[in-house]
Amino acid sequence: MSQATLIQIGPLAPQINSRLREQYQAVPLWEQPEPLAWLREHAQQARVAVTSARHGITAEAIAAMPRLAAIVSFGVGYDSIALDAARARGIQVSNTPDVLNDCVADLAFGLLLDAARGIAHGDRFVRAGKWGRDSFPLTTRVSGKKLGILGLGRIGEKVAQRATGFGMDIAYHNRRARDGAPWRHEPDLKALAGWADFLAVTCVGGPETEGLVSAGIIEALGPKGILVNVSRGSVVDEDALVAALRNGRLGGAGLDVFRAEPQVPEALFALDNVVLAPHVASGTHETRAAMAALVFDNLDAFLGTGKVITPVL
Ligand code: 8YV
């Protein structure tokens, strides 16, 4: 029975897949008809699993690899990785922080601008030949407005910096105020939503933030408010969001993430006050290359020294 030492959980970009296969003899788990059974039979010696924020890794898969010592993930989010199972076994987990901050913040700001100013809506209007026949509605000013940030981490901070250039008044909600952050900390998320014109969600995903943007928070943001989410769909009560957007209790939304990707609530397709993106905030050539480089740096560091360089655990 042949044994693999490096398992790749799910497909990444083709160049990454081939480099993993050729240089590290990685076995593509997704090509096995019964992945868990395959792991139990062929991954008893596996030391490393490579995955991504999208594919994650389950507690069952971890349990099926008794010698697993490192999980190297492509992406900053780790809500799809069974961290408790990894922690219990002392398995190192690495992600790709920092290298994507600028691009994620750029897209967050793009979604905000688009949802407020109707860029995609205007594009549809022009392409449909409506210019000259119908009038395009007035939109919402962005500069000088109030921006609330839910989760002032490394990405939230980049969003705040961009907002500074737009002359915005900025406040944020974290469980605790961040040392040295020049922006106002608001300990009550509902108060932040009630104050803000725009609420940008940039916190981590996972159980600690599940449903944080509830119906009540959406209500507080209100009929003129705009919600931007580049974090995880799980942070927002999606049913409440869709209902509020449909009946005008929320002004608009710019969304890069959804609860059950790639499924997007169909009710949103008909709404011109909503801008939809297919989870691409980090999806630029430059940032994806930097993320891939960090995956290989973590992999090489673990294989060479026994320690990953950007650990989550
Ligand atoms: C990734 C992401 O592109 O980094 C993350 O956590 O959500 C995205 O940047 C994607 O999920 C990688 O699988």
Side-chain angles (χ1 to χ4, degrees):
M1 185 164 67
S2 71
Q3 288 293 326
T5 56
L6 202 151
I7 311 294
Q8 186 183 349
I9 304 294
L12 294 162
Q15 325 79 277
I16 305 178
N17 295 341
S18 33
R19 185 165 164 201
L20 282 169
R21 205 178 291 218
E22 283 151 28
Q23 213 175 313
Y24 301 83
Q25 288 74 52
V27 179
L29 185 62
W30 71 96
E31 288 181 3
Q32 314 308 324
E34 289 188 56
L36 267 182
W38 186 91
L39 284 179
R40 291 188 188 115
E41 202 166 322
H42 298 280
Q44 298 309 291
Q45 305 301 323
R47 302 275 297 150
V48 186
V50 174
T51 189
S52 68
R54 175 166 158 227
H55 301 302
I57 186 166
T58 62
E60 290 74 24
I62 292 173
M65 293 182 270
R67 297 199 59 214
L68 191 67
I71 297 166
V72 173
S73 183
F74 178 94
V76 68
Y78 42 81
D79 48 303
S80 56
I81 296 174
L83 279 194
D84 288 346
R87 194 179 288 115
R89 297 242 316 264
I91 297 169
Q92 296 178 56
V93 176
S94 69
N95 64 345
T96 59
D98 293 322
V99 292
L100 42 61
N101 296 349
D102 280 314
C103 279
V104 175
D106 288 350
L107 194 90
F109 229 85
L111 290 171
L112 195 168
L113 283 166
D114 195 340
R117 297 302 313 273
I119 301 170
H121 182 198
D123 179 88
R124 288 191 295 275
F125 181 88
V126 172
R127 286 172 198 248
K130 291 183 179 170
W131 194 9
R133 275 202 278 121
D134 298 345
S135 62
F136 192 72
L138 296 179
T139 59
T140 299
R141 179 185 172 109
V142 172
S143 292
K145 290 287 186 71
K146 291 183 235 152
L147 175 68
I149 297 175
L150 169 55
L152 190 78
R154 291 175 281 207
I155 293 170
E157 198 171 330
K158 293 285 185 184
V159 173
Q161 286 168 5
R162 280 152 183 72
T164 305
F166 282 77
M168 288 182 164
D169 197 359
I170 300 156
Y172 70 97
H173 174 77
N174 279 16
R175 271 175 303 189
R176 282 172 295 280
R178 242 187 76 188
D179 277 353
W183 304 290
R184 179 172 70 83
H185 175 243
E186 172 52 73
D188 177 355
L189 177 57
K190 199 163 187 178
L192 182 74
W195 166 85
D197 297 302
F198 312 125
L199 182 66
V201 182
T202 53
C203 58
V204 296
E208 60 189 292
T209 57
E210 171 95 38
L212 213 53
V213 180
S214 61
I217 301 298
I218 293 166
E219 202 83 36
L221 191 55
K224 294 197 161 147
I226 289 175
L227 181 78
V228 171
N229 190 2
V230 290
S231 152
R232 289 290 181 260
S234 59
V235 182
V236 177
D237 179 337
E238 202 166 73
D239 292 340
L241 175 66
V242 171
L245 285 164
R246 289 179 83 176
N247 62 28
R249 292 201 317 278
L250 180 68
L255 307 171
D256 185 45
V257 288
F258 303 88
R259 184 166 287 271
E261 292 169 11
Q263 286 165 48
V264 174
E266 264 194 53
L268 297 179
F269 296 172
L271 302 180
D272 280 326
N273 55 344
V274 181
V275 181
L276 304 168
H279 197 152
V280 287
S282 70
T284 62
H285 294 294
E286 296 86 344
T287 284
R288 288 289 168 85
M291 289 163 71
L294 197 44
V295 163
F296 286 106
D297 287 349
N298 271 297
L299 195 49
D300 291 341
F302 178 77
L303 295 173
T305 70
K307 288 257 175 270
V308 297
I309 53 173
T310 51
V312 173
L313 285 185

